[in-house]
Amino acid sequence: MPKNDKKSSSLVDLDDNIVRDAIQKTLGRQYTDEEIENMALDLASESPEFLELERIYEQGLGSYPFADHEVFVPVDEEGDEIIPSDIEVLKYLSSQFVRREMVFFELGKLDKSITRADLAMVVFARVRASFPSFEIGPEKLKALMDALTNNPTAEPGMTIPVWNGVVESVPGKAARLTFDGGMYAVNAWIEPAFRKLRNIEPNMKVFDRFLNFIFKNTSEKEVFLDWLSWCLQNEADKPSWAIFLFSERHGTGKSTLASIVKQLFGEENSSEQQGIKPIIDRFNKPILLKKLIYAEEVKVAQNSDDGNKLKTLISERQTMAESKNKDIEPIDHRCCFILTTNHKPIWLEAGDRRFYIIHLDHEGYAAGGAAYDDFVKLVAEVKYAYASDKGIAELYRALLRRPQAENFNPYSLNVNELATEVMREISALAPDVVEEMLGEFLEEHKIRFVPVRYANKLLSYFAHRNPNAAKYSFDRLGWKKKKFAWGGQGSAHAFYHPDAHPERGMLQTAHYKQSIEAHLNEVLAPALEEIGFGIKYEYLDRDMKKPVDDVPF
């Protein structure tokens, strides 16, 4: 070894070279930095210190300033630690709780009351976590508790306020408490943390590439961006129609898109549900207090009231809602809706203006798509871009600046102009096939009068439906329902064609006049026998026993 090398080398370098040579001979290559890091973590994970640290983080105490742990503290421009004053701490604590009927509540947990004794422990932990450099011993804690809970003459903001029991959603309003005649209402909306960042430049390049991939055409993408940007720019308002994402294949980006939208509105201001039942059922007030409602796997049965209930929530601002253990009450909600499904929503009516349906259909779908690998890379890029507050803040800024198209109307969807291909397909399918067949059967056999007791038998020939289905089907065909008497027997409910003008036991059309009894025997009975339902007791037999299977609905 040269003389100068001996002077510049050390035993550490020698040992390092031996280790590297051994690794090279064993693996045929050197460890990567990631492999070295993983091995270090594996070794560290076996130490008692690491296990203790892991336990602390699992309990949600990762940021708690334990006595023997290093903590981050705020500093001023000179780098000196900022120590909050007693007044600043008192104002902060006063904004985090409310009181009602001798108990206390955290603003984010208004369904769980806290006693004064428990509140003291919560206050101590909250102060230690939020202000690590603030000295809080028994005397200081007692003084804070007295100010917070036993000072009725304190100025607003210097003691825990009295809650009036009202929880409302006022999106865009950062203040969580609203003064109301000595008491306060609670605002359920929480300003997302990323919106407080400053010096953020607008940037939606990654989001734009993602939308270009998953949407079939530019027009659908533009309508979606109009809707989304308007909702963010007008959070205190609500649109009267929803975005409905449909794809028959799985893995087309519906959930990824929805997750980004949730971040834009704030996870704390979003509600994610499976289906629509939790949204429309009892105790739905906590859901309706959210700004964004995202429902996956939406399925609605044909002729179900569920669809109508959902439409009402989408289009109306006022509704009645209920929380558990609370009375039902009117609320003014500001919800906007994004729905997803893997089944074409043919339950929608033709020309329905409450849903803008976008068919996500591309070759990046899971399990066999030709562009699957490219789409996986794009989704990973999207998740990385919006994993940080800065990334989502840049997208938010860009959407705040985005103008909407002239034909965009958040309160009324122009389906004639903006309908997507799948919306036109659904409109073509919208007429109920069963009702079409029923209407054709009635017209073919010149049937103008059907007793209710036969209506379900007639309808069940075309499809099995619940007992109430007949009244809806006949109503949509334009038929009427009323109670009539015929054949010398008691009155019974029946459906009739509006041209039949039934009166005093007679049908009177523009072309003929016929008794109800004769119409049933000569027109309805042969038609029902043709499909396997014979009727016997409508014939002219005055002594026949009166039927008892009338259903008055």
Side-chain angles (χ1 to χ4, degrees), residues 59-77:
Q59 292 179 332
L61 295 169
S63 60
Y64 189 82
F66 289 97
D68 57 342
H69 289 188
E70 293 182 352
V71 296
F72 291 100
V73 295
V75 295
D76 57 22
E77 294 180 354

Side-chain angles (χ1 to χ4, degrees), residues 258-325:
S259 68
I260 297 171
V261 177
K262 285 191 295 182
Q263 286 180 270
L264 289 166
F265 285 102
E267 296 283 353
E268 52 279 287
N269 303 314
S270 304
S271 176
E272 181 174 339
Q273 302 294 330
Q274 289 293 318
I276 67 170
K277 279 293 185 182
I279 303 171
I280 63 175
D281 279 356
R282 190 181 177 189
F283 307 131
N284 62 346
K285 183 181 177 183
I287 297 175
L288 297 181
L289 289 175
K290 302 296 184 180
K291 174 59 189 177
L292 173 69
I293 297 179
Y294 166 50
E296 290 187 299
E297 299 299 330
V298 172
K299 298 178 184 178
V300 178
Q302 197 82 29
N303 301 316
S304 167
D305 287 337
D306 291 355
N308 292 328
K309 292 178 182 178
L310 177 63
K311 292 175 186 178
T312 300
L313 291 177
I314 289 173
S315 59
E316 302 295 332
R317 290 175 57 147
Q318 285 81 31
T319 188
M320 300 298 291
E322 184 179 1
S323 299
K324 288 184 178 180
N325 303 317

Side-chain angles (χ1 to χ4, degrees), residues 188-363:
W189 186 83
I190 301 173
E191 183 180 15
F194 74 83
R195 298 191 186 180
K196 299 176 183 178
L197 297 179
R198 297 294 177 260
N199 303 318
I200 296 295
E201 292 296 324
N203 183 353
M204 59 180 294
K205 293 179 181 178
V206 176
F207 190 59
D208 197 59
R209 285 199 291 114
F210 178 70
L211 295 183
N212 286 337
F213 194 107
I214 65 174
F215 286 164
K216 298 178 70 174
N217 56 62
T218 303
S219 61
E220 295 176 7
K221 169 192 158 186
E222 292 302 314
V223 173
F224 171 78
L225 285 174
D226 281 347
W227 181 89
L228 177 60
S229 59
W230 184 90
C231 289
L232 290 169
Q233 294 165 15
N234 302 272
E235 282 190 302
D237 202 347
K238 75 180 298 294
S240 296
W241 47 278
I243 295 294
F244 204 158
L245 305 175
F246 156 66
S247 66
E248 293 172 313
R249 297 186 174 105
H250 293 277
T252 54
K254 299 189 300 295
S255 297
T256 300
L257 179 58
S259 68
I260 297 171
V261 177
K262 285 191 295 182
Q263 286 180 270
L264 289 166
F265 285 102
E267 296 283 353
E268 52 279 287
N269 303 314
S270 304
S271 176
E272 181 174 339
Q273 302 294 330
Q274 289 293 318
I276 67 170
K277 279 293 185 182
I279 303 171
I280 63 175
D281 279 356
R282 190 181 177 189
F283 307 131
N284 62 346
K285 183 181 177 183
I287 297 175
L288 297 181
L289 289 175
K290 302 296 184 180
K291 174 59 189 177
L292 173 69
I293 297 179
Y294 166 50
E296 290 187 299
E297 299 299 330
V298 172
K299 298 178 184 178
V300 178
Q302 197 82 29
N303 301 316
S304 167
D305 287 337
D306 291 355
N308 292 328
K309 292 178 182 178
L310 177 63
K311 292 175 186 178
T312 300
L313 291 177
I314 289 173
S315 59
E316 302 295 332
R317 290 175 57 147
Q318 285 81 31
T319 188
M320 300 298 291
E322 184 179 1
S323 299
K324 288 184 178 180
N325 303 317
K326 302 289 184 180
D327 293 334
I328 191 170
E329 59 182 329
I331 68 167
D332 193 9
H333 71 92
R334 299 291 185 271
C335 305
C336 55
F337 293 77
I338 290 184
L339 316 173
T340 69
T341 184
N342 290 113
H343 306 274
K344 186 178 291 186
I346 59 175
W347 50 272
L348 291 174
E349 299 172 358
D352 197 306
R353 297 182 296 112
R354 266 70 62 93
F355 304 93
Y356 185 74
I357 309 170
I358 303 173
H359 188 190
L360 303 187
D361 185 23
H362 53 77
E363 288 301 315

Side-chain angles (χ1 to χ4, degrees), residues 81-122:
E81 182 179 341
I82 299 175
I83 301 177
S85 66
D86 291 2
I87 296 298
E88 289 172 330
V89 173
L90 184 61
K91 286 183 176 180
Y92 165 76
L93 292 170
S94 298
S95 68
Q96 302 299 303
F97 304 92
V98 289
R99 63 189 299 166
R100 182 176 175 83
E101 298 177 355
M102 304 301 290
V103 291
F104 303 87
F105 304 86
E106 285 187 82
L107 292 187
K109 302 174 183 176
L110 294 171
D111 57 334
K112 308 292 183 183
S113 61
I114 308 172
T115 65
R116 190 181 187 280
D118 290 340
L119 180 65
M121 299 179 67
V122 175

Side-chain angles (χ1 to χ4, degrees), residues 525-543:
L528 290 181
E529 286 178 355
E530 181 180 311
I531 60 176
F533 296 116
I535 58 175
K536 303 298 183 184
Y537 46 76
E538 298 295 344
Y539 288 92
L540 298 176
D541 185 350
R542 303 301 186 197
D543 299 325

Side-chain angles (χ1 to χ4, degrees), residues 147-177:
L148 289 169
T149 66
N150 195 27
N151 190 5
T153 60
E155 294 289 332
M158 298 297 290
T159 189
I160 294 179
V162 177
W163 177 32
N164 63 2
V166 174
V167 182
E168 56 189 0
S169 180
V170 191
K173 182 179 180 181
R176 298 294 310 281
L177 297 170

